[in-house]
Amino acid sequence: FKTRLKDGSVFYEMFPGKKSSMILDGPLFSILALYDLYHVTGDARIKKRFDDALNGIIVNMGYWDYHGLWSWFGKLYLSSPMYHKINLCLIEVLAGISGDKTLRSVAGSWSDVYKKRLLKRFMKYRIFLSSRVYLIYNRLGLDYRRGLQA
């Protein structure tokens, strides 16, 4: 589902809802699908959609970046290690395809966590804590998401 963020950027939602979920892996998979479709068809309109969607991710990458260490799961809580690795792999692939410096930088800083044992332990603690804070807010009927809403 294609939507526009407040800043005008194109964003492909993973699933529809009253509020934008802003979960990163769905749009990244969509962008790769557009890339594949462009290479099969050669259609300039598909290339434009790919470029627009990729630019929307690049311009707003800070939204999903937790201090250059990890990815957010829709700004609800820090991504689980599985989702983070998916995001990391997709960002690395898109950085390779596009040659974008922002994506290369994010991929490099996110992968550094796995090279430092103490930092890896710190992130496990932060992931657990952020998911518990989300549960508390959710049970109280509060929404603490901030930033880019569609």
Side-chain angles (χ1 to χ4, degrees):
F1 299 93
K2 180 179 166 183
T3 188
R4 292 223 178 250
L5 302 176
K6 286 181 182 177
D7 68 354
S9 299
V10 171
F11 185 76
Y12 287 95
E13 279 293 341
M14 187 182 300
F15 47 86
K18 286 186 179 183
K19 286 189 176 185
S20 181
S21 65
M22 302 299 294
I23 297 170
L24 183 58
D25 63 319
L28 296 178
F29 279 117
S30 297
I31 292 168
L32 287 171
L34 287 170
Y35 179 78
D36 289 344
L37 184 60
Y38 167 68
H39 278 280
V40 169
T41 65
D43 189 334
R45 293 174 299 172
I46 301 296
K47 175 72 163 100
K48 171 107 172 78
R49 287 183 181 187
F50 166 79
D51 291 339
D52 289 347
L54 182 63
N55 186 57
I57 295 292
I58 292 168
V59 167
N60 296 297
M61 196 66 223
Y63 179 80
W64 296 281
D65 185 30
Y66 176 74
H67 301 294
L69 299 171
W70 208 260
S71 59
W72 282 102
F73 185 80
K75 212 53 159 189
L76 297 171
Y77 45 85
L78 293 172
S79 297
S80 68
M82 179 200 69
Y83 269 107
H84 179 69
K85 284 185 180 182
I86 290 169
N87 289 334
L88 174 58
C89 288
L90 293 170
I91 293 291
E92 287 174 336
V93 168
L94 287 170
I97 288 170
S98 68
D100 183 75
K101 293 176 188 175
T102 300
L103 295 179
R104 284 186 197 275
S105 174
V106 168
S109 66
W110 285 2
S111 64
D112 282 347
V113 170
Y114 295 103
K115 298 173 188 167
K116 300 173 183 169
R117 192 169 49 180
L118 185 59
L119 191 53
K120 193 173 172 181
R121 284 186 181 168
F122 171 76
M123 284 311 304
K124 284 183 180 180
Y125 166 74
R126 297 298 296 179
I127 293 164
F128 174 78
L129 185 62
S130 73
S131 65
R132 295 310 171 251
V133 168
Y134 167 73
L135 288 174
I136 291 168
Y137 271 76
N138 195 25
R139 287 194 177 145
L140 294 173
L142 303 172
D143 185 4
Y144 72 93
R145 289 183 288 185
R146 64 172 183 80
L148 299 175
Q149 292 301 315

